[in-house]
């Protein structure tokens, strides 16, 4: 099946920055296409909608149609296959989730917020709701500087589960041919917040060794694919430690799964992914379970 990258737009330059990232991804995927989605600001037509709102609704629909058509023509001139979606308002969440549930989108690329257009449409809560509800990969593009990020430094948190490992081949898709340096991070939650004292050493040190051996194994495979790979282990609360590491290493992208139920430690649950998504200063790609 053709891979489709869905980009919700609100007419702002910030949301269009996410579109540039989506184009870069699609250009590396043979046969992939782009779907552009924009929802109306005016509430959908209903029995309670005042009659005087109808001209505003029609006017906005015309402007949004023109906007989507302009974006479509520009992308098709660059050689992309494009589909446009005008969704009933207010807000894009329902329409984005529906596209993903119906199998019409594999990856959603969106900005974390918009300063124009809808009333701060892509504010964190909306991005988090889409990330939580849409059965697709979710890439939230952070920052406002031009040009759009190229994703040359990638951080991948791992908990030892097969689910979390799905993030590793995704790095090859985002930055093929060894085009990025990758850091694999593991977090030990054994006696988190405590020092190496007494009998704790007999539990903590084997846990750290187990995590290091696991990370080394994954790093060896990535290195064989041509990537520069580093590993790092932290102890503590997973989301907090990953966010600290992000501040220290300044990656362009955090690549992670939404949760994991097996492995060294059960810590990549939705709440951790959402916390990282909300507070990370860099872009975040969340892999979703099929």
């Amino acid at each position: 099946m053709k891979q489709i990258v869905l980009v919700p737009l609100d007419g702002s330059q910030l949301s269009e920055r996410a579109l540039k990232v989506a184009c870069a991804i699609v250009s590396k995927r043979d046969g992939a296409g782009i779907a552009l989605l924009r929802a109306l600001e005016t509430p959908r037509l209903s029995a309670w909608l005042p009659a005087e709102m109808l001209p505003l609704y029609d006017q906005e629909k015309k402007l949004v149609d023109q906007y989507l058509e302009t974006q479509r023509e520009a992308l098709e001139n660059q050689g992309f296959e494009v589909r446009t979606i005008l969704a009933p308002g207010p807000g894009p969440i329902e329409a984005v989730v529906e596209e993903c549930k119906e199998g019409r989108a594999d990856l959603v690329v969106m900005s974390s917020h918009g300063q124009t257009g809808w009333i701060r449409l892509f504010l964190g809560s909306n991005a988090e709701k889409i990330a939580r509800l849409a059965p697709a990969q979710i890439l939230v593009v952070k920052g406002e500087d031009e040009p759009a990020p190229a994703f040359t430094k990638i951080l991948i948190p791992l908990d030892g589960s097969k689910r979390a490992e799905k993030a590793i081949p995704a790095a090859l898709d985002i930055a093929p041919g060894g085009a990025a340096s990758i850091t694999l991070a593991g977090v030990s939650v054994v006696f988190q917040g405590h020092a190496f004292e007494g009998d704790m050493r007999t539990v903590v040190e084997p846990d750290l060794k187990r995590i290091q051996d696991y990370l080394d194994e994954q790093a060896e495979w990535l290195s064989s694919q041509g990537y520069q790979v580093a590993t790092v282990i932290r102890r503590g609360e997973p989301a907090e430690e990953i966010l600290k590491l992000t501040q220290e290493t300044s990656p362009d992208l955090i690549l992670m799964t939404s949760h994991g139920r097996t492995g060294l430690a059960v810590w990549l649950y939705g709440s951790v992914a959402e916390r990282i998504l909300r507070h990370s200063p860099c872009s975040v790609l969340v892999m979703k379970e099929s």
Side-chain angles (χ1 to χ4, degrees):
M1 294 180 62
K2 180 185 293 293
Q3 290 184 310
I4 299 297
V5 178
L6 173 63
V7 185
L9 298 170
D10 68 353
S12 70
Q13 291 183 348
L14 194 60
S15 68
E16 290 170 12
R17 186 170 182 264
L19 179 56
K20 295 178 182 179
V21 173
C23 289
I25 293 173
V26 171
S27 66
K28 300 170 185 174
R29 298 182 177 184
D30 293 337
I34 298 176
L36 306 179
L37 183 148
R38 183 167 175 182
L40 300 175
E41 297 180 23
T42 308
R44 69 188 66 190
L45 293 172
S46 64
W48 56 265
L49 187 67
E52 57 267 24
M53 291 288 290
L54 295 178
L56 295 176
Y57 182 92
D58 291 337
Q59 181 181 13
E60 184 194 6
K61 185 175 182 298
K62 181 179 179 180
L63 291 173
V64 171
D65 268 330
Q66 292 175 343
Y67 173 80
L68 288 173
E69 182 66 15
T70 298
Q71 296 292 336
R72 182 187 66 79
E73 289 181 356
L75 292 176
E76 287 184 343
N77 288 338
Q78 298 175 49
F80 294 104
E81 182 176 336
V82 184
R83 179 169 65 94
T84 60
I85 306 159
L86 193 158
I93 296 176
E94 183 177 341
V96 170
V97 172
E98 181 66 18
E99 288 293 312
C100 296
K101 285 184 175 180
E102 294 299 321
R104 295 190 290 265
D106 309 285
L107 168 65
V108 179
V109 180
M110 57 185 170
S111 297
S112 59
H113 64 279
Q115 295 179 332
T116 61
W118 301 319
I119 303 174
R120 299 179 71 93
L121 172 65
F122 292 116
L123 202 58
S125 60
N126 288 283
E128 290 161 23
K129 287 177 183 177
I130 291 175
R132 186 184 309 124
L133 299 173
Q137 298 178 27
I138 308 295
L139 172 55
V140 178
V141 180
K142 299 288 190 75
E144 302 179 15
D145 298 331
E146 293 290 348
F151 303 143
T152 59
K153 294 178 63 179
I154 299 175
L155 173 63
I156 304 179
L158 296 172
D159 68 351
S161 69
K162 295 298 182 182
R163 223 175 252 103
E165 289 172 16
K166 291 180 180 179
I168 296 175
L172 279 65
D173 195 26
I174 293 293
S181 61
I182 298 175
T183 298
L184 303 180
V187 180
S188 172
V189 297
V190 176
F191 293 115
Q192 54 179 288
H194 294 275
F196 290 83
E197 296 178 358
D199 293 337
M200 288 193 300
R201 187 183 297 272
T202 62
V203 178
V204 174
E205 289 187 341
D207 187 57
L208 295 178
K209 183 180 185 306
R210 186 163 56 249
I211 295 174
Q212 186 64 63
D213 290 345
Y214 169 74
L215 293 179
D216 288 343
E217 179 183 350
Q218 303 302 323
E220 182 178 0
W221 183 84
L222 277 170
S223 296
S224 71
Q225 306 300 310
Y227 293 87
Q228 179 182 345
V229 187
T231 63
V232 61
I233 301 176
R234 296 295 181 89
R235 295 178 60 233
E237 196 281 320
E240 180 180 346
E241 294 303 320
I242 294 301
L243 290 170
K244 286 180 181 178
L245 186 60
T246 302
Q247 293 287 350
E248 295 168 10
T249 60
S250 301
D252 304 310
L253 176 69
I254 298 176
L255 209 170
M256 63 186 300
T257 52
S258 59
H259 63 276
R261 293 195 181 108
T262 61
L264 303 176
V266 185
W267 55 264
L268 280 181
Y269 270 92
S271 59
V272 173
E274 288 183 10
R275 186 173 168 191
I276 292 174
L277 185 65
R278 183 182 306 122
H279 297 292
S280 169
C282 68
S283 301
V284 181
L285 173 57
V286 180
M287 308 288 293
K288 303 298 287 295
E289 186 178 8
S290 301

